Amino acid sequence: MATATIAKKPENKEAKLAGQEMQQAEDRPFFLSRMRDEFDRLFHQFTRNWPAFWEFGGNNWRWGVELQEKDDALVVIAEAPGFDANEFDIQVQDHRLVMKAKHKVEKKEKDAQRIEEHESYQSITLPCDIDKDKVQATYRNGVLTVTMPKTAEAKGKKIAVQGA
């Protein structure tokens, strides 16, 4: 009767460490990309109202915009201080919300008349279809709110989950 013996390789610490390093290296790309995304988000939040280097000397201003998706509507809340309600031009074109504002101030001084114009433009891609005829916009205390009801197809349907 023949018996076979299987020789077991001795495990050394170097092989274990190499295996752990390989496992950590495989997890690293996800971790690094997530960390990079967080830094990008924080940097954007911190610098979003800073003028870009090509805007120095101009009167450009950037909107602080938030898009909220609710069950039956999309709501855009935009920080727009210093304007009057009649100075806004709000349009829905295809799947985009276009917001424009223009404010003109005339100042008379002793020897001359000075005119200052402040313009702003923001365009937002909408994530779903909306009913363009029912869009409403309000402006109060420097905040522009645009409410856009979703179409019936975009609202979706709730599906009940049944137990087994």
Side-chain angles (χ1 to χ4, degrees):
M1 179 187 237
T3 59
T5 59
I6 300 173
K8 203 175 193 184
K9 288 186 178 179
E11 291 184 19
N12 59 17
K13 289 183 181 180
E14 292 175 12
K16 277 188 175 181
L17 290 176
Q20 288 174 351
E21 288 175 9
M22 288 297 289
Q23 180 64 31
Q24 289 174 352
E26 290 173 4
D27 294 340
R28 207 171 283 147
F30 172 72
F31 173 75
L32 290 178
S33 78
R34 198 170 113 205
M35 188 167 61
R36 183 192 66 230
D37 292 344
E38 283 296 313
F39 275 114
D40 287 348
R41 185 184 62 78
L42 288 171
F43 183 75
H44 176 69
Q45 282 183 341
F46 182 70
T47 62
R48 73 176 176 190
N49 292 327
W50 290 7
F53 67 90
W54 59 84
E55 293 176 347
F56 284 112
N59 59 1
N60 293 328
W61 169 80
R62 295 194 183 265
W63 304 71
V65 177
E66 179 181 336
L67 174 65
Q68 299 174 351
E69 185 169 0
K70 299 186 177 184
D71 291 338
D72 59 344
L74 296 175
V75 179
V76 173
I77 300 171
E79 299 170 0
F83 293 100
D84 292 326
N86 61 350
E87 295 175 326
F88 288 96
D89 179 17
I90 309 296
Q91 299 177 15
V92 177
Q93 302 170 352
D94 298 324
H95 283 277
R96 300 191 69 73
L97 173 67
V98 179
M99 301 180 296
K100 299 176 189 175
K102 185 175 184 178
H103 182 65
K104 188 175 188 179
V105 177
E106 295 183 21
K107 295 181 181 180
K108 293 183 180 182
E109 297 177 357
K110 293 179 184 176
D111 299 335
Q113 182 177 0
R114 195 169 110 190
I115 299 174
E116 290 182 9
E117 288 187 355
H118 300 276
E119 292 184 21
S120 186
Y121 170 87
Q122 180 75 35
S123 177
I124 300 171
T125 302
L126 302 175
C128 62
D129 291 332
I130 60 163
D131 188 351
K132 295 178 184 180
D133 297 328
K134 295 182 181 177
V135 174
Q136 295 180 339
T138 58
Y139 181 69
R140 186 176 320 175
N141 296 331
V143 177
L144 175 69
T145 305
V146 182
T147 305
M148 300 165 284
K150 292 181 180 180
T151 60
E153 295 84 24
K155 287 182 185 177
K157 180 182 175 185
K158 185 173 181 173
I159 299 171
V161 177
Q162 298 175 0

